[in-house]
Amino acid sequence: MTIERKIREHLRTEAETLDCPPAISKRIEQSYSQYVLRQRSGKTMKKRFIAGIVATAILIPTAAFAAPTLIEMLTRTPMTAEQVKSDVVGRATLEKLYSAFPETKSFEIIEASMVQGTQTSIILQEKGGIGKKITLHTNSKSGKIEHVIQENWEPKDKPLTALTDQDIKSKVDDLLNKMYGNMEEYEFAMEKMENPDQKTLMLNYTQKGSETPLYQVFVQGNSISVSLIGGETKSANHKVEGFFTTNGKPDYFADAYLNDDKLFSLLNMSPIELKQELAKGRSVVEIAASKNVSKQQIVDVIAKTQVDIQIQGEANGEIPNNNLSMEQMLKAIEPKVLQVIEYKTDTPSKK
């Protein structure tokens, strides 16, 4: 047995008994993202960058999965293109990508995998195996796309790093705006990394009023690598009351269904933005359609969240067990979800 195989088997056994602190997990993710960029260039950087990623580099010597933590990289399950398209998280991720970059609808899914209940990863490339390529890592619980790698979107004879810093920022802004929303409310900082062999830039985007960057971007060669690394998104952990109104007063009947981070991610909207659109007399279905998101996608996301809450409540003994399968529970709740997403708030009559 090779030394790599021995290390892999030992770590797989030991990892099952370990609870890695979130801070350490995030350090691994960030370090591995940097490692991936260096691997692509075939260059090395100063030794002080290498110490934190040696174990990861031994185990995973490819750029296929840049963001997952160590234990996730050891327990990934491959997915076919058909499985991605039939999976709730996979389908939502693709729809968000297609809405942001319509040309990717013709791309092929060349690789995909998932860690049950944790992360779904999808790699797409232009047909023919050359040219533009994009990699997406989506958090299966929140529905947020936590890592995006855009490769070869510029001509080979004039790669990203041949552009001016301002043009590079414009390219990064375009990717962030399309995938995550308007970046105007974020403060920006650019830093040139210590790599004498190849131009490497790190860009940090921090929400105004926050001290921690929310998006961290590395640009090297012809690649842009975006990571959701910290801070707080506008939708995260912010619950809104009274999405709808009746007779001019807040109507709370739909709040439990619409306060769903996966829904906000799918619509690329914050809770406040959704409430503002609903106040105009539009339904969730109509708002979704304007963003090229189908009614069924909305149903799938909300229903899955509600069923997960039901299952957790049963497991905790908070509610009686209904002894239904996941499929039966999803089917049973769909009519309630449809009622919520097709509902329209009362708007004052125009005189």
Side-chain angles (χ1 to χ4, degrees), residues 49 88 95 177 185 215-216 221 276 295 319 324 333 338:
F49 288 106
V88 172
E95 288 298 330
N177 286 334
E185 64 183 84
Y215 301 104
Q216 186 173 76
Q276 290 171 341
K295 178 193 290 189
I319 55 177
L324 296 177
I333 203 169
L338 286 170

Side-chain angles (χ1 to χ4, degrees), residues 12-252:
R12 186 187 298 277
T13 301
E14 291 297 318
E16 293 178 356
T17 65
L18 298 177
D19 184 14
C20 185
I24 299 300
S25 295
K26 187 60 66 178
R27 288 287 297 277
I28 292 172
E29 293 174 17
Q30 294 175 25
S31 295
Y32 191 68
S33 295
Q34 296 176 27
Y35 161 74
V36 166
L37 291 174
R38 290 194 293 279
Q39 283 292 94
R40 281 199 203 97
S41 69
K43 306 292 183 182
T44 58
M45 297 177 73
K46 288 196 172 184
K47 290 182 180 179
R48 67 186 180 87
F49 288 106
I50 298 176
I53 60 172
V54 171
T56 307
I58 291 174
L59 292 171
I60 307 293
T62 86
F65 304 108
T69 56
L70 186 57
I71 180 59
E72 290 174 351
M73 288 188 285
L74 293 171
T75 58
R76 286 192 166 272
T77 302
M79 299 175 72
T80 64
E82 290 72 23
Q83 288 173 324
V84 171
K85 294 173 183 178
S86 63
D87 177 70
V88 172
V89 176
R91 186 166 60 249
T93 300
L94 290 177
E95 288 298 330
K96 189 164 188 178
L97 173 65
Y98 296 157
S99 177
F101 297 97
E103 64 192 285
T104 59
K105 291 180 181 179
S106 65
F107 285 21
E108 295 178 312
I109 297 175
I110 62 172
E111 193 167 346
S113 68
M114 68 178 298
V115 178
Q116 188 63 41
T118 303
Q119 188 183 78
T120 297
S121 299
I122 309 170
I123 305 176
L124 302 94
Q125 189 169 37
E126 283 185 309
K127 292 183 179 179
I130 57 174
K132 295 180 179 179
K133 182 177 179 182
I134 192 160
T135 301
L136 307 161
H137 300 288
T138 303
N139 186 303
S140 300
K141 294 180 180 179
S142 68
K144 293 182 177 67
I145 298 176
E146 295 183 329
H147 195 79
V148 180
I149 305 174
Q150 192 183 62
E151 302 174 80
N152 304 325
W153 286 57
E154 300 299 317
K156 288 185 178 180
D157 59 346
K158 194 174 183 181
L160 276 165
T161 48
L163 305 177
T164 66
D165 288 358
Q166 184 57 47
D167 286 339
I168 289 173
K169 180 181 182 299
S170 295
K171 297 289 183 181
V172 173
D173 284 349
D174 181 65
L175 174 59
L176 288 171
N177 286 334
K178 289 179 177 178
M179 294 301 298
Y180 296 104
N182 198 320
M183 288 291 112
E184 289 184 0
E185 64 183 84
Y186 288 85
E187 296 177 340
F188 162 81
M190 178 186 289
E191 178 184 348
K192 289 186 178 180
M193 305 298 289
E194 299 179 49
N195 184 0
D197 299 311
Q198 186 173 15
K199 183 177 181 180
T200 303
L201 298 175
M202 179 175 71
L203 298 82
N204 286 314
Y205 289 77
T206 305
Q207 200 163 17
K208 292 178 181 178
S210 174
E211 296 181 357
T212 306
L214 179 58
Y215 301 104
Q216 186 173 76
V217 185
F218 286 93
V219 177
Q220 187 180 67
N222 219 348
S223 170
I224 300 175
S225 178
V226 178
S227 293
L228 178 63
I229 64 165
E232 189 176 74
T233 61
K234 290 182 289 183
S235 65
N237 300 320
H238 291 301
K239 302 302 181 183
V240 168
E241 294 184 345
F243 278 100
F244 295 111
T245 58
T246 301
N247 298 324
K249 296 181 180 180
D251 189 336
Y252 305 107

